[in-house]
């Protein structure tokens, strides 16, 4: 039985929904991006900053770096946020029985043998369909929106982990939710977590 | 029910063994690298050449390219082999109910909706253990042997598909056989192929 399940996901693939289902079926705590950011906030970062920069690497946007300044003790605020989130994820894992979505948790907890690392992806058309349905239309074309989100996650992951985001070797199981369906993805993860 | 299952795999991950199990449990034909090469051979390439060059891209080894010459109608023999194997895989898929291991079959059959694409990987230590157990020790250190094999497959895949080998987005499911176990990997694939 795996005590910690990390779920990384492409934007619009339904990874968060799958994670929630898994947490419910396992009776585990559910920590998504927002919750971890909230905790980091309590650690002393403003809500606005955390919301804006939580998924950015300093390498991504030179202006943001210059803008927020050198932050705490000469460390960029992005790096400070990364450290805080890392500490929080390590603590949550120590408590066990949880599902953690996003935040490079697969990397942060890579050496824990009591964890199962999952990546969820789907074809672009399926993700566009989902994003438009969930969040509605915006001025920005949905294809561009998805590409931007994925790029940010990829750069952030690369910056802090030096690994390629979405490489199967980083995960125990990866699933195409567009082809398999969200509910079945959740069931497969639950079954696997229970027997391993 | 998926009629075609393609299995790509890291060297030593047991992907071929898993594929065989899946084919038996589904009652499907099983085509591995060797079989497809045998068919290509019948298409007019020597056994020696096919064995040596089946996984090479012309870009990989300039000497091999110069050595075998321009081959047939100004096409390099590697490219000729690739085309033949591609034709054979498309034909086998047309007949349906089969498991195909390796040979970029995931890419060649990417547009078929009746297919399930699988990638199998495992941590280096697990793969070394398996390779030494199966093929015995050689003069070459096993870590180097694995790295060379994987590099060849990665370059070959990149050359002919322009995709990154092992990226989860290329597959419907990827599994860490070292953590999950070969038999359970096979069972998960069978279940998925049956319900989709």
């Amino acid at each position: 039985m795996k005590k910690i399940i990390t779920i990384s996901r492409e934007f619009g693939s339904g990874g968060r929904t799958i994670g929630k289902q898994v947490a419910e079926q396992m009776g585990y705590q559910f920590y998504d991006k927002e919750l971890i950011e909230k905790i980091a906030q309590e650690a002393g970062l403003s809500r606005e900053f955390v919301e804006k920069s939580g998924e950015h690497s300093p390498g991504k946007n030179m202006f943001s770096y210059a803008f927020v300044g050198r932050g705490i003790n000469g460390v960029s605020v992005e790096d400070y946020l990364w450290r805080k989130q890392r500490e929080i994820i390590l603590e949550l894992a120590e408590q066990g029985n949880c599902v953690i979505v996003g935040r490079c948790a697969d990397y942060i907890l890579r050496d824990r043998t009591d964890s199962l690392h999952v990546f969820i992806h789907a074809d672009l058309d399926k993700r566009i369909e989902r994003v438009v349905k969930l969040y509605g239309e915006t001025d920005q074309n949905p294809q561009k929106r998805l590409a931007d989100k994925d790029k940010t996650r990829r750069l952030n992951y690369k910056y802090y982990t030096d690994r390629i985001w979405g490489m199967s070797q980083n995960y125990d199981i990866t699933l195409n939710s567009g082809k398999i369906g969200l509910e079945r993805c959740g069931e497969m993860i639950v079954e696997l977590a229970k027997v391993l």
Side-chain angles (χ1 to χ4, degrees), chain A residues 20-191:
Chain A
K20 207 162 186 183
Q21 178 194 328
V22 170
E24 276 165 17
Q25 289 183 11
M26 301 285 291
Y28 279 12
Q29 289 292 319
F30 177 67
Y31 302 115
D32 66 354
K33 191 181 75 142
E34 284 69 26
L35 187 54
I36 292 165
E37 286 178 352
K38 189 167 169 284
I39 303 170
Q41 223 184 87
E42 284 163 17
L45 295 167
S46 80
R47 174 182 289 274
E48 291 72 21
F49 177 76
V50 168
E51 270 173 7
K52 219 179 111 191
S53 305
E55 286 189 319
H56 291 182
S57 56
K60 199 217 157 211
N61 189 343
M62 294 292 284
F63 289 107
S64 112
Y65 185 81
F67 213 62
V68 296
R70 287 256 143 205
I72 298 100
N73 296 331
V75 175
S76 80
V77 187
E78 283 92 347
D79 285 351
Y80 176 75
L81 176 59
W82 161 258
R83 285 188 201 175
K84 270 287 154 212
Q85 289 187 346
R86 187 175 170 279
E87 277 172 33
I88 290 161
I89 286 169
L90 288 168
E91 273 167 35
L92 294 176
E94 207 51 50
Q95 296 165 27
N97 291 3
C98 61
V99 174
I100 305 174
V101 174
R103 308 283 94 185
C104 306
D106 60 299
Y107 174 78
I108 294 165
L109 304 175
R110 66 195 179 284
D111 293 329
R112 285 198 75 114
T113 54
D114 56 356
S115 64
L116 182 73
H117 302 299
V118 181
F119 185 80
I120 305 291
H121 61 93
D123 288 348
L124 197 61
D125 54 343
K126 295 270 182 188
R127 294 195 287 135
I128 288 176
E129 201 183 299
R130 187 175 164 81
V131 165
V132 170
K133 200 172 135 195
L134 277 182
Y135 308 114
E137 303 270 1
T138 63
D139 289 344
Q140 202 185 15
N141 114 22
Q143 196 150 346
K144 175 92 172 71
R145 232 163 111 199
L146 258 71
D148 285 352
K149 270 274 192 187
D150 284 346
K151 192 179 174 189
T152 304
R153 287 184 185 171
R154 192 167 55 244
L155 286 175
N156 178 66
Y157 190 79
K158 177 74 186 165
Y159 184 84
Y160 286 110
T161 73
D162 201 27
R163 305 204 297 193
I164 296 170
W165 187 66
M167 276 297 274
S168 56
Q169 288 90 339
N170 301 341
Y171 311 96
D172 299 314
I173 179 169
T174 80
L175 296 167
N176 178 345
S177 64
K179 196 153 166 183
I180 296 171
L182 267 56
E183 208 176 317
R184 183 169 304 279
C185 284
E187 285 164 10
M188 289 176 76
I189 296 163
V190 168
E191 272 178 47

